[in-house]
Amino acid sequence: MSVAHRAPLKYTGIPASPGIGVGPVFVVVAEEYKVREFPIAPDRVDAEIAFFAGAIDASRRDLAQIRNGIAAELGEHEAAIYDAQMMMLDDPDLHRVVEGEIRNRRNAGIAFRDYMAAVAARLERVEDEYLRERRADVMDVERRVLRHLMGDSRRGLTTLTQPSILIAHELGPSDVALLDRERVLGMVTEVGGRTSHGAIVARGRGIPAVVAVRGILQAATAGMLGIVDGFLGHVELEPEAETASRYRKRRSRIEKGTLDLRALIEQPAVTPDGKKVELAANIELPQEVESAVAAGADGVGLFRTEFFYLDRAELPSEEEQVRAYRMVAERLAPRPVIFRTMDLGGDKVASYLGTTHETNPFLGYRGIRFALSHPEVFRTQIRAIYRASAHGKARMMFPMVSSVEELRAALAMCRQVADDLARENQPFDRDLEIGIMIETPSAVWVADLLARESKFLSIGSNDLIQYTLAMDRDNERLAYLYEPLGPAVLRSLRHTVEAGHAAGRWVGVCGEMAGDARHAVLLVGLGVDELSVSCFDLPRVKAAIRSVPASTAIAIANEALACECAEAVRALLHRELDPLLPEFLVGDGSGS
Ligand code: PEP
Ligand code: MG
């Protein structure tokens, strides 16, 4: 049967992860647990009631474990919310209603979800603000019990049956980290920015992505053909056959270009006039170390270890962390790996750590602040990193440092851990280098002081830009103002490089800015010694470094510093660099 072709639906968003995806659409339903309803046979009613009781018991055990961890670490007061959650599980009403529903032959999952939805709706209507906020706890309890009731079938996302383009309102970093890479051709979200962590993980995993595509969910339905152009930020639904074929051909050309770049794997990142730049990879998950090696990285310049803490019910143990960190260190040796200690908070929250709602999470309890206030959790991670250091060249750095006091507190903890390990006769690298990230304007302005007490500085440009310009990195409406090339940012970069070098320290950049070919050359010109970029960007950045003499990059950087606005810097970069860069970096929208 032939169906009249509807006009293609075209959208433009923010290009968040390069690449082209063409394939059927899969719409991600916002609801985290898709609970199915099915009738229970009369002779299965008792078993279903027992199944429900088992899920409640397992949830109670989870909560008790979390509660005790929090109580030991933060005190009884902080643990109280878990007492409240455990009380919800013991509520006689809950058991009476759900069991009654099961006797009416409804399955436990649906009966439980309906009960919790009614509780949440009641809380929504109460005047008392404190009680209203308990809604988050109700939802937490609901998710926990449903996880036990539904086992692995928990997310629509994991049930992809064919390679698809995902379309969602929002995908968090742990959602993207858990996607089945073989079955995801591309992803589109309605919200987010280029440096949202969901987008960063997509880049790390090579998933073409466009974010901030408003309203697309209204039009998207499962099975439609979709196109994602992660270079230019274009998305098309139900394209003409000719358009789809053009994009498929483009995808093949890009795949071939990527193969051609393989020739560079063995080559160093050296400018034509002989300046060596350390070119490392960013990874989010231990197994991504393989992509870093395959891309020809000089090491891992940023391992975002916090992903270890996300999307799970309890803290990762020291042994589990040692295993993962050791695997990465061993695989890379003799190349270095920089373990960035847990950067939780902001958009990366682990509910079992007792994170509470904050009005301004990016200005709140995150990074090193969060770590220092969870000393047991932090110490366990530091121990694991030290222990892994016996098996390769490990370094460590702290995120979001804003003062010398914070650095000193973290270093004191490291010294204590090293002493403990020495007493226990555990092998570790006594000379493990500890550095910091420069991500806040305050760190920029005390970079000279911080550089005295740390071995290196790595600029986290994603956050540094957001805090310097006061522009939320996740806010799609501000994306056009979130500007790496503005004079305030360039001056901050230069100041940091000078402060680091004056103290004899190397200075790197590990934010997304370093992954853009032209920006990378500018950073080299500003004196940056190391760039750490996604595995996808790495060969492209290497090609750019190998095409532009350092003397030219320095002259361009000096001219850029004299520009009054970002637009002028961008024009300068195009004018001076496009004639020098390989054609594949200038065309195809894969540069800035
Ligand atoms: C940064 O802020 O630039 C950075 C590398 O850290 P993250 O993106 O994880 O905040
Ligand atoms: Mg950061």
Coordinates of all heavy atoms in Angstrom, one line a residue, residues 168 251 336 455 514 570:
A168 N 14.5 12.4 23.0 CA 14.1 12.4 24.4 C 14.0 13.9 24.8 O 14.6 14.8 24.1 CB 15.2 11.7 25.3
R251 N 27.7 10.0 5.6 CA 28.2 9.3 6.7 C 29.3 8.3 6.3 O 30.3 8.2 7.0 CB 27.0 8.5 7.3 CG 27.4 7.8 8.6 CD 26.2 7.1 9.2 NE 25.7 6.1 8.3 CZ 24.5 5.5 8.4 NH1 23.8 5.7 9.4 NH2 24.1 4.6 7.5
P336 N 50.5 8.3 30.9 CA 49.8 8.6 32.1 C 48.3 8.6 32.1 O 47.8 8.8 31.0 CB 50.4 10.1 32.4 CG 50.7 10.6 31.0 CD 51.1 9.4 30.2
K455 N 51.1 20.0 41.3 CA 52.1 19.7 40.3 C 51.8 20.1 38.9 O 52.6 20.2 38.0 CB 52.4 18.2 40.3 CG 53.2 17.7 41.6 CD 54.7 18.1 41.5 CE 55.5 17.5 42.6 NZ 55.3 18.1 43.9
A514 N 39.1 22.5 23.9 CA 40.3 21.9 23.4 C 40.1 21.0 22.2 O 41.0 20.7 21.5 CB 41.1 21.2 24.5
R570 N 37.0 34.9 16.2 CA 36.5 33.9 15.3 C 37.0 34.2 13.9 O 37.5 33.3 13.1 CB 35.0 33.7 15.4 CG 34.6 32.3 14.9 CD 33.1 32.1 15.0 NE 32.4 32.8 16.1 CZ 32.4 32.5 17.3 NH1 33.0 31.4 17.7 NH2 31.8 33.2 18.2

